Amino acid sequence: MKNRLGEIRKKHGIKQEELADALEVSRQTIGSLENGRYNPSILLAFKIARYFDLSIEEIFIYEESEVK
Amino acid sequence: MKKSLSPVILMFLGLLLLSAGIYIVKTSIDPQGMVRVLPYVCIGLGCGIFGHGTGDVISRRILKNHPTKEKEIEIEKNDERNIAIGSLAKAKAYDMMIYVFGALMLAFALMEVELAALLLLVFAYLFVVAYGIYYRYKYDKEM
Protein backbone atom coordinates (compact mmCIF):
# COMPACT_ATOMS: atom_id res chain seq x y z
CA MET A 1 0.00 0.00 0.00
CA LYS A 2 1.33 3.41 -0.96
CA ASN A 3 1.34 6.18 1.58
CA ARG A 4 2.36 9.78 2.09
CA LEU A 5 3.83 9.26 5.55
CA GLY A 6 7.38 10.31 4.65
CA GLU A 7 6.17 13.43 2.87
CA ILE A 8 3.80 14.41 5.72
CA ARG A 9 6.46 13.73 8.36
CA LYS A 10 9.02 15.92 6.56
CA LYS A 11 6.41 18.66 6.14
CA HIS A 12 5.94 18.66 9.91
CA GLY A 13 9.72 18.75 10.42
CA ILE A 14 9.77 15.58 12.53
CA LYS A 15 12.54 12.99 12.56
CA GLN A 16 11.74 9.29 12.15
CA GLU A 17 12.97 8.70 15.71
CA GLU A 18 10.63 11.33 17.13
CA LEU A 19 7.62 9.92 15.29
CA ALA A 20 8.56 6.40 16.40
CA ASP A 21 8.77 7.57 20.03
CA ALA A 22 5.41 9.31 19.83
CA LEU A 23 3.70 6.28 18.30
CA GLU A 24 5.59 3.81 20.54
CA VAL A 25 6.95 1.78 17.63
CA SER A 26 10.50 1.16 16.46
CA ARG A 27 12.27 3.51 14.06
CA GLN A 28 12.58 0.61 11.63
CA THR A 29 8.79 0.34 11.52
CA ILE A 30 8.52 4.01 10.50
CA GLY A 31 11.20 3.45 7.82
CA SER A 32 9.42 0.36 6.49
CA LEU A 33 6.08 2.18 6.45
CA GLU A 34 7.55 5.10 4.52
CA ASN A 35 9.16 2.76 2.00
CA GLY A 36 5.88 0.90 1.52
CA ARG A 37 7.45 -2.39 2.61
CA TYR A 38 5.11 -2.79 5.58
CA ASN A 39 1.38 -2.16 5.89
CA PRO A 40 0.35 -1.01 9.38
CA SER A 41 -2.40 -2.51 11.49
CA ILE A 42 -5.61 -0.51 11.58
CA LEU A 43 -4.72 0.60 15.12
CA LEU A 44 -1.34 1.98 14.07
CA ALA A 45 -2.92 3.63 11.03
CA PHE A 46 -5.39 5.40 13.35
CA LYS A 47 -2.57 6.42 15.71
CA ILE A 48 -0.60 7.92 12.79
CA ALA A 49 -3.68 9.72 11.46
CA ARG A 50 -4.53 11.12 14.91
CA TYR A 51 -0.92 12.21 15.44
CA PHE A 52 -0.97 14.33 12.27
CA ASP A 53 -4.62 15.31 12.75
CA LEU A 54 -5.52 13.84 9.35
CA SER A 55 -7.78 11.06 8.14
CA ILE A 56 -6.36 7.63 7.30
CA GLU A 57 -7.25 8.13 3.63
CA GLU A 58 -5.16 11.29 3.50
CA ILE A 59 -2.06 9.28 4.53
CA PHE A 60 -2.62 5.79 3.11
CA ILE A 61 -3.59 5.33 -0.50
CA TYR A 62 -5.79 2.35 -1.29
CA GLU A 63 -5.43 0.86 -4.77
CA GLU A 64 -7.83 -1.72 -6.17
CA SER A 65 -4.98 -3.62 -7.89
CA GLU A 66 -3.46 -4.47 -4.49
CA VAL A 67 -6.37 -6.80 -3.62
CA LYS A 68 -5.33 -10.37 -4.43
CA MET B 1 -0.16 -9.99 34.58
CA LYS B 2 1.68 -13.29 34.41
CA LYS B 3 4.22 -13.51 37.22
CA SER B 4 7.44 -15.39 36.55
CA LEU B 5 9.93 -16.76 39.05
CA SER B 6 12.34 -14.20 40.42
CA PRO B 7 15.68 -14.35 38.56
CA VAL B 8 17.56 -14.74 41.87
CA ILE B 9 15.45 -17.83 42.71
CA LEU B 10 16.09 -19.14 39.19
CA MET B 11 19.81 -18.60 39.67
CA PHE B 12 19.85 -20.59 42.92
CA LEU B 13 17.61 -23.29 41.46
CA GLY B 14 20.02 -23.66 38.55
CA LEU B 15 23.01 -23.76 40.87
CA LEU B 16 21.27 -26.38 43.04
CA LEU B 17 20.51 -28.59 40.04
CA LEU B 18 24.06 -28.18 38.73
CA SER B 19 25.57 -29.08 42.11
CA ALA B 20 23.22 -32.06 42.49
CA GLY B 21 24.21 -33.30 39.04
CA ILE B 22 27.93 -32.99 39.75
CA TYR B 23 27.49 -34.64 43.17
CA ILE B 24 25.69 -37.65 41.65
CA VAL B 25 28.34 -38.01 38.92
CA LYS B 26 31.15 -37.96 41.50
CA THR B 27 29.54 -40.25 44.09
CA SER B 28 27.62 -42.91 42.15
CA ILE B 29 29.53 -46.12 41.52
CA ASP B 30 28.54 -48.17 38.48
CA PRO B 31 25.18 -46.44 37.87
CA GLN B 32 22.50 -48.37 36.00
CA GLY B 33 19.52 -47.32 33.89
CA MET B 34 18.17 -43.81 34.32
CA VAL B 35 20.69 -42.89 37.04
CA ARG B 36 23.38 -43.04 34.34
CA VAL B 37 21.77 -40.19 32.38
CA LEU B 38 19.98 -38.24 35.12
CA PRO B 39 23.02 -36.35 36.53
CA TYR B 40 23.98 -35.09 33.08
CA VAL B 41 20.41 -33.93 32.49
CA CYS B 42 20.63 -32.12 35.86
CA ILE B 43 23.94 -30.51 34.86
CA GLY B 44 22.56 -29.40 31.48
CA LEU B 45 19.32 -28.04 32.92
CA GLY B 46 21.14 -26.45 35.86
CA CYS B 47 23.59 -24.65 33.56
CA GLY B 48 20.74 -23.41 31.39
CA ILE B 49 18.59 -22.15 34.29
CA PHE B 50 21.60 -20.64 36.07
CA GLY B 51 22.72 -18.82 32.91
CA HIS B 52 19.21 -17.55 32.23
CA GLY B 53 18.78 -16.33 35.83
CA THR B 54 22.20 -14.67 35.94
CA GLY B 55 21.56 -12.91 32.62
CA ASP B 56 18.23 -11.67 33.91
CA VAL B 57 19.75 -10.39 37.16
CA ILE B 58 22.52 -8.53 35.29
CA SER B 59 20.18 -6.99 32.70
CA ARG B 60 17.71 -5.87 35.40
CA ARG B 61 20.52 -4.27 37.39
CA ILE B 62 21.83 -2.41 34.33
CA LEU B 63 18.37 -1.32 33.17
CA LYS B 64 17.49 0.04 36.61
CA ASN B 65 19.95 2.90 36.00
CA HIS B 66 18.86 3.48 32.39
CA PRO B 67 15.07 3.95 32.24
CA THR B 68 15.19 5.26 28.65
CA LYS B 69 16.95 2.10 27.51
CA GLU B 70 14.30 0.05 29.30
CA LYS B 71 11.52 1.90 27.45
CA GLU B 72 13.40 1.37 24.17
CA ILE B 73 13.57 -2.38 24.80
CA GLU B 74 9.88 -2.43 25.74
CA ILE B 75 8.99 -0.64 22.48
CA GLU B 76 11.15 -3.04 20.43
CA LYS B 77 9.45 -6.00 22.14
CA ASN B 78 5.90 -4.73 21.56
CA ASP B 79 6.52 -3.24 18.12
CA GLU B 80 3.83 -4.62 15.80
CA ARG B 81 6.25 -5.06 12.88
CA ASN B 82 8.68 -7.02 15.06
CA ILE B 83 5.81 -9.20 16.32
CA ALA B 84 4.62 -9.78 12.73
CA ILE B 85 8.17 -10.71 11.64
CA GLY B 86 8.51 -13.10 14.60
CA SER B 87 5.17 -14.77 13.83
CA LEU B 88 6.00 -15.13 10.13
CA ALA B 89 9.42 -16.59 10.92
CA LYS B 90 7.84 -19.07 13.35
CA ALA B 91 5.23 -20.07 10.77
CA LYS B 92 7.98 -20.68 8.17
CA ALA B 93 9.98 -22.72 10.68
CA TYR B 94 6.85 -24.78 11.54
CA ASP B 95 6.24 -25.53 7.84
CA MET B 96 9.85 -26.63 7.52
CA MET B 97 9.66 -28.69 10.71
CA ILE B 98 6.73 -30.70 9.32
CA TYR B 99 8.87 -31.84 6.37
CA VAL B 100 12.11 -32.30 8.33
CA PHE B 101 10.48 -34.35 11.11
CA GLY B 102 8.54 -36.36 8.51
CA ALA B 103 11.80 -37.22 6.72
CA LEU B 104 13.48 -37.97 10.06
CA MET B 105 10.71 -40.39 11.08
CA LEU B 106 10.97 -42.15 7.74
CA ALA B 107 14.75 -42.37 8.07
CA PHE B 108 14.45 -43.77 11.62
CA ALA B 109 11.90 -46.35 10.44
CA LEU B 110 14.21 -47.45 7.62
CA MET B 111 17.14 -47.61 10.06
CA GLU B 112 15.00 -49.86 12.24
CA VAL B 113 15.62 -47.86 15.41
CA GLU B 114 13.95 -48.99 18.60
CA LEU B 115 10.15 -48.97 18.22
CA ALA B 116 9.52 -47.09 21.51
CA ALA B 117 11.76 -44.19 20.43
CA LEU B 118 10.15 -44.10 16.98
CA LEU B 119 6.63 -44.13 18.44
CA LEU B 120 7.56 -41.33 20.86
CA LEU B 121 8.79 -39.24 17.95
CA VAL B 122 5.62 -39.98 15.95
CA PHE B 123 3.49 -39.08 18.98
CA ALA B 124 5.38 -35.80 19.51
CA TYR B 125 4.99 -34.99 15.79
CA LEU B 126 1.26 -35.69 15.85
CA PHE B 127 0.87 -33.72 19.09
CA VAL B 128 2.42 -30.64 17.49
CA VAL B 129 0.22 -31.01 14.40
CA ALA B 130 -2.89 -31.46 16.60
CA TYR B 131 -1.86 -28.39 18.63
CA GLY B 132 -1.75 -26.38 15.40
CA ILE B 133 -5.19 -27.65 14.35
CA TYR B 134 -6.61 -26.81 17.81
CA TYR B 135 -5.35 -23.22 17.61
CA ARG B 136 -6.61 -22.87 14.03
CA TYR B 137 -10.07 -23.90 15.27
CA LYS B 138 -9.82 -21.66 18.38
CA TYR B 139 -8.77 -18.56 16.43
CA ASP B 140 -11.41 -19.30 13.80
CA LYS B 141 -14.03 -19.03 16.57
CA GLU B 142 -12.46 -15.93 18.12
CA MET B 143 -11.74 -13.84 15.02
Side-chain angles (χ1 to χ4, degrees):
Chain A
M1 188 189 280
K2 285 181 185 165
N3 65 72
R4 295 173 50 230
L5 184 61
E7 176 197 327
I8 293 166
R9 178 182 59 77
K10 282 173 194 158
K11 213 160 77 182
H12 280 75
I14 305 164
K15 284 184 190 164
Q16 280 190 345
E17 287 86 352
E18 289 167 343
L19 183 60
D21 277 350
L23 299 171
E24 295 191 322
V25 294
S26 67
R27 196 204 53 77
Q28 284 85 352
T29 297
I30 301 297
S32 293
L33 283 170
E34 288 184 3
N35 292 329
R37 285 199 308 262
Y38 175 66
N39 291 330
S41 69
I42 193 77
L43 286 174
L44 182 58
F46 267 110
K47 273 173 107 176
I48 294 169
R50 290 247 168 104
Y51 181 81
F52 290 113
D53 207 13
L54 294 167
S55 67
I56 290 179
E57 288 89 345
E58 284 174 288
I59 304 170
F60 298 96
I61 300 139
Y62 172 73
E63 283 172 342
E64 201 70 46
S65 60
E66 285 179 48
V67 183
K68 283 173 193 164
Chain B
M1 213 171 90
K2 216 165 76 177
K3 265 202 157 183
S4 58
L5 270 177
S6 151
V8 180
I9 296 175
L10 269 182
M11 236 173 84
F12 282 111
L13 196 74
L15 209 59
L16 200 75
L17 261 175
L18 183 61
S19 321
I22 293 169
Y23 177 76
I24 299 170
V25 168
K26 291 281 174 203
T27 54
S28 60
I29 305 150
D30 191 28
Q32 295 293 319
M34 245 174 68
V35 185
R36 230 170 32 178
V37 196
L38 195 69
Y40 297 103
V41 173
C42 283
I43 292 171
L45 265 176
C47 282
I49 294 171
F50 178 71
H52 181 77
T54 312
D56 230 19
V57 167
I58 295 168
S59 69
R60 276 186 196 202
R61 198 156 286 182
I62 293 170
L63 287 177
K64 215 158 74 177
N65 302 322
H66 299 87
T68 50
K69 200 83 198 156
E70 194 175 3
K71 183 141 195 285
E72 229 171 78
I73 291 170
E74 193 67 23
I75 285 173
E76 283 288 334
K77 206 174 86 182
N78 297 325
D79 181 60
E80 67 166 49
R81 180 172 159 270
N82 284 345
I83 292 171
I85 290 169
S87 300
L88 265 177
K90 269 191 236 175
K92 286 273 177 204
Y94 173 81
D95 288 345
M96 178 58 80
M97 192 202 71
I98 291 292
Y99 290 114
V100 170
F101 274 36
L104 196 67
M105 281 188 300
L106 187 68
F108 278 177
L110 292 173
M111 285 159 64
E112 293 179 0
V113 297
E114 205 183 325
L115 191 64
L118 188 63
L119 286 177
L120 270 175
L121 183 63
V122 172
F123 178 76
Y125 179 85
L126 291 177
F127 176 75
V128 172
V129 172
Y131 197 68
I133 293 169
Y134 167 73
Y135 270 99
R136 188 178 280 254
Y137 175 77
K138 189 173 180 273
Y139 290 141
D140 189 52
K141 290 269 172 208
E142 280 175 15
M143 291 182 187

